[in-house]
């Protein structure tokens, strides 16, 4: 899912995932019509106007280039996407031809049999050769591609330049330095959180696990097995939790803190650092403009970058579409380089093409740390519909909160691994 929507999605995740993916298996239609109405679902936005203006321009161009075709775009609420897609998969007559899909939802929709496999068609599109491999990985389930990455989102380290200058600090170069820096800031400036991060901010936790050489799970054939309790993962979890248990982010305030609350604490001047996304820049500018910098979140070794969670959304063709060729052509236009550039200008969405990312970093210095983070390598959650259940159950946040309350890391991570394995096994 787009990382910028994590705030919205977190509040409704249990509702959206409680139903699980609809278990239907559709055969693709025998027809491939080249005229008529092409139906498109895109996610609504709090401020839809910039997005809609860009989409409207693409629609007008597509209709000019495809006489006899009308593109009908509907904007659907993120909060109701589960119900809408369930209905679409079970009633193809009501389904769109093209849909915007959160990348963390993809595996569930594929398991439901609702999305078209575009693996063989993708190489026929020349621009696809320049897609970022890490972005394209988020469109894969069991090695097959089910969409085109439309935009991506990653998190990096925001820090208060005025506070760092006051205390003679430099941006931390390793996760150990990050912890030490946060502790020193809170010690010398007790009015500030050394870093704003929380027990319920699992997108900030994940990079620490990956930077330590751990992972969330591994795939063994068709089976997923949790590795959250491996020694490497435990080391990353311990470093992350210590930012709270040490008081750098006081546990009384931070054990229940979410990602949005962490960023807001920084933007309101209560914290010297936070882990935030490219999509958080406007919120931070509204609070501490001119007083902050951004660098990639450091890894365990000097000069390394902690792998970030690769958030983002895709454009997918539904398997039930009777206009599959038109649908793919529209996806290639709207998710192509030209309109990814336009969407960046309109919405600030990071492109998924390597060369376009480079252009953005060159012309917008504020975006450069996030592009550097992308270049440093990103990771993703297990590509299985079980992840929705794990996410809805709050397995990772519960683990961190247990550690903050005094449960040993090995015990808390072992419990989390058992819960994840139960979900992977369908229990």
């Amino acid at each position: 899912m787009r990382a910028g929507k994590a705030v919205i999605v977190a509040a409704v995740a249990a509702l959206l995932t409680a139903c699980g993916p609809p278990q239907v298996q559709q055969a693709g239609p025998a027809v491939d019509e080249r005229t008529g109405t092409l139906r498109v679902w895109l996610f609504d936005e709090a401020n839809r106007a910039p997005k809609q203006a860009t989409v409207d321009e693409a629609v007008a161009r597509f209709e000019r280039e495809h006489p006899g075709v009308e593109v009908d775009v509907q904007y659907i609420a993120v909060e109701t996407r589960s119900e809408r897609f369930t209905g679409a998969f079970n009633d193809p007559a009501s389904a769109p031809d093209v849909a915007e899909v959160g990348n963390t939802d993809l595996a569930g929709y594929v398991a439901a049999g609702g999305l078209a496999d575009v693996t063989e068609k993708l190489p026929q599109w020349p621009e696809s050769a320049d897609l970022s491999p890490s972005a394209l990985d988020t469109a894969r389930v069991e090695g097959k591609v089910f969409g085109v990455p439309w935009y991506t989102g990653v998190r990096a380290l925001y820090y208060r330049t005025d506070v760092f200058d006051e205390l003679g600090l430099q941006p931390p170069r390793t996760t150990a330095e990050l912890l030490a820096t946060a502790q020193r800031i809170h010690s010398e400036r007790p009015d500030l959180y050394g870093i704003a991060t929380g027990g319920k901010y699992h997108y900030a936790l994940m990079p620490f696990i990956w930077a330590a050489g751990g992972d969330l799970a591994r795939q063994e054939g068709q089976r997923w097995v949790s590795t959250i309790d491996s020694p490497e993962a435990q080391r990353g979890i311990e470093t992350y939790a210590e930012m709270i248990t040490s008081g750098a982010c006081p546990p009384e305030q931070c054990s229940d803190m979410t990602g949005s609350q962490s960023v807001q604490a920084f933007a309101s001047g209560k914290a010297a650092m936070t882990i935030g996304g490219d999509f958080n820049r406007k919120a931070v500018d509204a609070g501490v403009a001119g007083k902050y910098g951004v660098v990639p979140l450091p890894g365990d070794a000097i000069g390394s970058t902690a792998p970030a969670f690769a958030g983002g959304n895709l454009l997918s063709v539904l398997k039930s579409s009777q206009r599959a060729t038109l649908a793919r052509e529209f996806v290639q236009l709207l998710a192509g380089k030209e309109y990814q550039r336009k969407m960046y200008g309109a919405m600030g969405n990071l492109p998924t093409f390597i060369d376009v990312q480079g252009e953005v970093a060159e012309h917008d210095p504020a975006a450069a740390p996030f592009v550097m983070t992308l270049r440093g390598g990103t990771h993703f959650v297990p590509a299985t519909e079980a992840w929705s259940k794990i996410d809805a159950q709050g397995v990772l946040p519960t683990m961190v909160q247990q550690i903050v309350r005094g449960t040993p890391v090995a015990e808390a991570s072992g419990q989390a691994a058992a819960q994840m394995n139960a979900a992977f096994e369908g229990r």
Side-chain angles (χ1 to χ4, degrees):
M1 187 71 190
R2 176 186 173 186
K5 290 186 180 289
V7 173
I8 300 172
V9 173
V12 296
L15 172 65
L16 300 183
T17 57
C19 299
Q23 296 303 311
V24 295
Q25 294 297 327
Q26 301 170 352
V31 297
D32 186 15
E33 300 177 7
R34 304 303 178 95
T35 59
T37 300
L38 188 74
R39 294 176 294 182
V40 179
W41 283 1
L42 301 177
F43 291 140
D44 208 351
E45 307 282 347
N47 178 16
R48 185 204 300 174
K51 178 177 184 176
Q52 184 169 350
T54 304
V55 172
D56 285 350
E57 180 185 324
V59 166
R61 173 174 167 179
F62 191 80
E63 291 178 343
R64 285 195 306 269
E65 295 175 353
H66 295 79
V69 175
E70 178 184 356
V71 181
D72 175 22
V73 179
Q74 294 184 32
Y75 290 87
I76 67 172
V78 174
E79 296 89 337
T80 62
R81 74 189 189 279
S82 181
E83 293 89 341
R84 295 294 297 270
F85 278 98
T86 296
F89 294 161
N90 284 288
D91 179 19
S94 69
D97 300 284
V98 174
E100 181 177 356
V101 175
N103 59 16
T104 56
D105 291 334
L106 184 73
Y109 295 167
V110 170
L115 302 182
D117 176 0
V118 297
T119 309
E120 294 182 0
K121 300 292 184 180
L122 194 64
Q124 299 172 15
W125 178 35
E127 288 189 344
S128 69
D130 296 324
L131 282 167
S132 162
S134 60
L136 191 56
D137 280 346
T138 69
R140 286 195 176 97
V141 177
E142 296 183 358
K144 298 179 180 179
V145 179
F146 291 89
V148 174
W150 193 15
Y151 52 82
T152 189
V154 292
R155 292 167 174 82
L157 183 68
Y158 285 75
Y159 68 99
R160 284 279 298 275
T161 52
D162 55 342
V163 174
F164 273 59
D165 288 345
E166 174 191 334
L167 300 180
L169 298 171
Q170 296 294 321
R173 301 169 297 169
T174 65
T175 51
E177 285 188 9
L178 173 60
L179 174 60
T181 300
Q183 292 170 328
R184 177 180 168 185
I185 291 170
H186 186 61
S187 174
E188 298 190 26
R189 287 284 306 271
D191 57 313
L192 290 174
Y193 300 160
I195 184 169
T197 195
K200 293 183 177 180
Y201 193 5
H202 58 297
Y203 289 120
L205 163 68
M206 290 176 185
F208 286 81
I209 295 172
W210 293 324
D215 209 342
L216 305 177
R218 67 174 181 272
Q219 191 170 14
E220 298 178 349
Q222 300 298 312
R223 179 170 172 259
W224 284 91
V225 178
S226 175
T227 56
I228 198 71
D229 58 344
S230 71
E232 296 82 4
Q234 288 181 12
R235 186 160 59 86
I237 294 165
E238 185 170 15
T239 301
Y240 180 80
E242 194 173 352
M243 292 191 292
I244 303 173
T245 58
S246 70
C249 194
E252 297 81 7
Q253 289 78 36
C254 301
S255 62
D256 291 331
M257 191 179 286
T258 63
S260 59
Q261 291 168 337
S262 299
V263 172
Q264 185 54 42
F266 181 83
S268 64
K270 294 180 181 178
M273 293 185 287
T274 196
I275 299 167
D278 54 283
F279 41 85
N280 293 130
R281 284 164 49 193
K282 289 184 180 179
V284 174
D285 281 337
V288 290
K291 297 181 181 179
Y292 74 92
V294 183
V295 294
L297 186 67
D300 270 18
I302 292 176
S304 68
T305 297
F309 166 75
N313 285 7
L314 321 167
L315 291 180
S316 295
V317 176
L318 269 72
K319 186 183 288 187
S320 61
S321 174
Q322 296 186 358
R323 295 175 174 83
T325 298
L326 283 174
R328 287 194 300 271
E329 290 175 354
F330 184 75
V331 167
Q332 290 170 8
L333 175 65
L334 189 56
K337 294 182 181 182
E338 178 180 353
Y339 281 93
Q340 284 204 19
R341 291 185 184 99
K342 292 177 182 292
M343 283 296 291
Y344 179 76
M347 301 291 293
N349 297 334
L350 284 179
T352 60
F353 294 97
I354 294 175
D355 52 343
V356 183
Q357 290 172 357
E359 294 171 14
V360 165
E362 182 180 353
H363 294 101
D364 184 357
F370 301 101
V371 173
M372 290 171 61
T373 298
L374 288 169
R375 298 285 174 84
T378 60
H379 286 192
F380 197 53
V381 297
T384 165
E385 67 273 20
W387 184 257
S388 294
K389 182 177 181 180
I390 293 167
D391 202 22
Q393 290 175 338
V395 173
L396 297 185
T398 298
M399 175 187 68
V400 174
Q401 290 174 310
Q402 287 176 334
I403 295 167
V404 170
R405 291 195 295 265
T407 302
V409 172
E411 180 180 342
S413 63
Q415 293 174 2
Q419 286 182 276
M420 291 173 67
N421 286 331
F424 291 144
E425 294 166 9
R427 293 187 281 116

